[in-house]
């Protein structure tokens, strides 16, 4: 982008500490030479995100002919720096958090943001890729010069995900106070809980810190036994699932000793690297278990017990007809008409779970059928 309207491309970057930097091009537009990186200021002070890990995107948000900056942050909120200066001398007076109603918009953990008219209605929309490979779409229900959002939709694509999540994260309000707790399986095998004021604790189960070191876990939070408290399912790399029953409505939650779910007399197995979900698949009023796995299958365990005491005995494997976009983690994205068909497509860069190599994917938007 051209930061100072001199006809040469400059560079804006963010760092893990939440700071934004600009590098002015002291060379030519065709052969850039960046000067010293300087921190971008807001209201005369060096700007720093409240949540760290700044991921900037440059856009003319309010259509006044000057560039503005959107910044995705550590825990998914997105802040807006409106440019109140001139094209040659940018100036930022304040940082505003994008909202949905009375709550901050959330694009997912370590949100990477892009702006484009994804649905072709002439208004800019917001697209956010999160740390765990999902892409969240926020349709603009306002105007092009004054965007407004009401909800997010997780984008899907035909067929199974290119890759399944190696890590896991979940957002949950365990005690009903309106504040979200973040759940992550960290590099040391513990389930890390990031609670109020970002205080970090390790999940307790059976009077000790619960630890799993054989691969990453994928979570699902649900009231398993219908007692009004939120329990957890933890899917493992080997396909088995731990059930953690919550003993309190407080935060951080405290769970009973973990148990492995059973399929008849055997340990239940949902397939490799499963993502467990709970829903009533057959409409009988009882929760069933649905496992998305790395074999491009959805393994469905129908509940043979009751809704408050699920029992499983056998399963069916179904091919995934459509699924959430998933292509690794530490994702970056941009939106462009890749194949010149008039529709906006998604270019998606990720780090592969399997070999930790960077890959670039293209998701082509399909024309709506009449």
């Amino acid at each position: 982008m051209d930061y100072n309207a001199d006809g040469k491309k400059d560079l804006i970057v963010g760092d893990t500490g939440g700071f934004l930097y600009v590098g002015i091009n002291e060379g030519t537009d065709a052969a850039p030479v960046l000067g010293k990186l300087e921190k971008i200021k807001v209201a005369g002070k060096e700007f720093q995100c409240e949540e760290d890990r700044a991921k900037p995107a440059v856009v003319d948000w309010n259509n006044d002919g000057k560039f503005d900056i959107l910044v995705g942050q550590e825990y998914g909120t997105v802040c807006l720096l409106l440019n109140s200066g001139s094209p040659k001398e940018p100036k930022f007076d304040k940082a505003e958090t994008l909202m949905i109603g009375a709550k901050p918009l959330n694009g997912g953990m370590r949100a990477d943001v892009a702006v484009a008219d994804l649905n072709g209605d002439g208004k800019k929309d917001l697209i956010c890729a999160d740390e765990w490979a999902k892409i969240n779409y926020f349709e603009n229900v306002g105007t092009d010069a004054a965007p407004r959002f009401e909800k997010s939709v997780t984008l899907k694509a035909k067929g199974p995900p290119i890759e399944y999540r190696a890590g896991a994260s979940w957002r949950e309000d365990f005690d009903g106070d309106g504040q979200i707790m973040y759940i992550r399986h960290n590099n040391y095998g513990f389930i890390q809980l990031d609670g109020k004021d970002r205080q970090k604790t390790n999940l307790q189960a059976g009077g000790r810190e619960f630890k799993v070191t054989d691969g990453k876990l994928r979570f699902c939070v649900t009231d398993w036994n219908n007692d009004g408290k939120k329990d957890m399912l933890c899917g493992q790399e080997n396909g088995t699932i731990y059930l953690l029953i919550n003993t309190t409505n407080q935060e951080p939650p405290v769970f009973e000793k973990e148990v492995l779910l059973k399929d008849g007399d055997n340990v239940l197995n949902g397939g490799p690297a499963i993502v467990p979900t709970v829903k009533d698949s057959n409409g009988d009023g009882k929760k069933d278990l649905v496992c998305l796995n790395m074999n491009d299958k959805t393994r469905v365990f129908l509940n043979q017990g009751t809704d408050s005491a699920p029992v499983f005995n056998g399963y069916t494997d179904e091919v995934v007809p459509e699924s959430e976009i998933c292509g690794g983690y530490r994702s970056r994205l941009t939106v462009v008409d890749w194949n010149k068909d008039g529709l906006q497509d998604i270019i998606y860069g990720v780090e592969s779970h399997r070999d930790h190599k960077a890959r670039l994917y293209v998701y082509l938007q399909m024309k709506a059928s009449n």
Side-chain angles (χ1 to χ4, degrees):
M1 56 85 57
D2 186 358
Y3 191 82
N4 55 0
D6 64 353
K8 299 182 294 185
K9 60 177 71 72
D10 306 303
L11 179 69
I12 291 180
V13 294
D15 69 8
T16 57
F19 292 99
L20 294 179
Y21 300 82
V22 58
I24 298 298
N25 182 2
E26 298 174 353
T28 66
D29 192 50
V33 177
L34 295 180
K36 180 182 177 181
L37 290 177
E38 300 286 350
K39 289 180 179 176
I40 290 176
K41 295 182 178 181
V42 172
K45 297 181 180 179
E46 292 178 350
F47 172 73
Q48 184 179 22
C49 293
E50 294 182 358
E51 298 179 1
D52 296 339
R53 293 188 182 270
K55 293 185 177 181
V58 176
V59 61
D60 183 359
W61 189 252
N62 54 0
N63 294 359
D64 65 353
K66 298 174 293 189
F67 76 85
D68 309 300
I69 304 176
L70 287 176
V71 188
Q73 302 183 90
E74 173 80 9
Y75 293 102
T77 57
V78 179
C79 68
L80 168 65
L81 309 183
L82 282 177
N83 186 353
S84 62
S86 67
K88 289 184 176 295
E89 296 183 355
K91 180 183 176 184
F92 306 99
D93 295 324
K94 62 179 180 178
E96 306 173 42
T97 299
L98 297 189
M99 306 291 286
I100 293 182
K103 295 183 178 181
L105 175 150
N106 195 293
M109 182 71 69
R110 299 178 182 174
D112 186 43
V113 297
V115 175
D117 179 11
L118 200 61
N119 59 355
D121 65 354
K123 301 181 294 186
K124 61 177 70 72
D125 306 307
L126 180 68
I127 306 99
C128 298
D130 70 16
E131 178 75 353
W132 308 114
K134 291 199 303 183
I135 299 179
N136 303 298
Y137 166 61
F138 298 84
E139 180 184 0
N140 182 2
V141 297
T143 66
D144 191 51
R148 181 171 64 86
F149 309 100
E150 291 182 348
K151 63 180 181 179
S152 69
V153 175
T154 300
L155 293 185
K156 296 182 178 181
K158 284 192 172 183
I162 293 172
E163 294 198 24
Y164 290 84
R165 296 176 189 144
S169 67
W170 192 277
R171 302 169 62 248
E172 194 64 48
D173 178 8
F174 280 98
D175 61 4
D177 67 352
Q179 298 191 49
I180 298 298
M181 172 166 282
Y182 295 85
I183 306 167
R184 287 182 280 182
H185 188 207
N186 66 26
N187 293 333
Y188 305 101
F190 295 105
I191 298 177
Q192 181 178 303
L193 305 175
D194 295 6
K196 299 175 181 64
D197 301 321
R198 301 290 178 248
Q199 298 213 356
K200 296 177 173 59
T201 58
N202 289 335
L203 182 144
Q204 300 278 327
R208 77 194 199 296
E209 291 183 334
F210 179 55
K211 185 175 184 179
V212 175
T213 56
D214 184 17
K216 290 291 186 180
L217 299 177
R218 291 90 171 165
F219 304 120
C220 175
V221 175
T222 183
D223 184 358
W224 186 256
N225 54 4
N226 296 354
D227 66 352
K229 296 188 284 287
K230 295 179 179 180
D231 311 305
M232 283 180 57
L233 297 176
C234 303
Q236 298 196 90
E237 293 285 335
N238 63 7
T240 60
I241 301 175
Y242 281 117
L243 169 64
L244 304 176
I245 296 294
N246 194 354
T247 63
T248 175
N249 277 320
Q250 300 176 352
E251 287 186 357
V254 177
F255 297 91
E256 296 177 3
K257 186 178 180 352
E258 71 280 0
V259 295
L260 287 169
L261 291 184
K262 301 293 287 290
D263 177 22
D265 295 329
N266 301 313
V267 174
L268 180 147
N269 194 298
I274 59 169
V275 180
T277 58
V278 174
K279 64 180 181 179
D280 181 4
S281 289
N282 56 356
D284 64 357
K286 301 182 295 186
K287 62 175 69 73
D288 305 307
L289 180 66
V290 180
C291 300
L292 185 66
N293 63 52
M294 204 166 59
N295 288 337
D296 300 343
K297 302 285 187 180
T298 297
R299 183 163 290 184
V300 180
F301 295 83
L302 294 179
N303 184 358
Q304 310 295 325
T306 67
D307 190 53
S308 59
V311 174
F312 306 107
N313 191 6
Y315 60 84
T316 58
D317 277 337
E318 303 173 3
V319 176
V320 182
E322 185 179 79
S323 61
E324 293 180 358
I325 291 174
C326 186
Y329 60 110
R330 294 179 180 166
S331 49
R332 300 303 301 267
L333 85 165
T334 190
V335 181
V336 66
D337 184 359
W338 180 256
N339 55 354
K340 302 298 183 182
D341 65 352
L343 300 176
Q344 295 297 302
D345 309 306
I346 292 175
I347 312 298
Y348 198 25
V350 295
E351 179 181 338
S352 171
H353 305 321
R354 299 171 185 176
D355 56 13
H356 299 286
K357 292 182 179 179
R359 287 180 169 82
L360 193 65
Y361 302 109
V362 179
Y363 287 92
L364 297 177
Q365 187 175 167
M366 301 182 65
K367 293 183 183 292
S369 57
N370 295 326

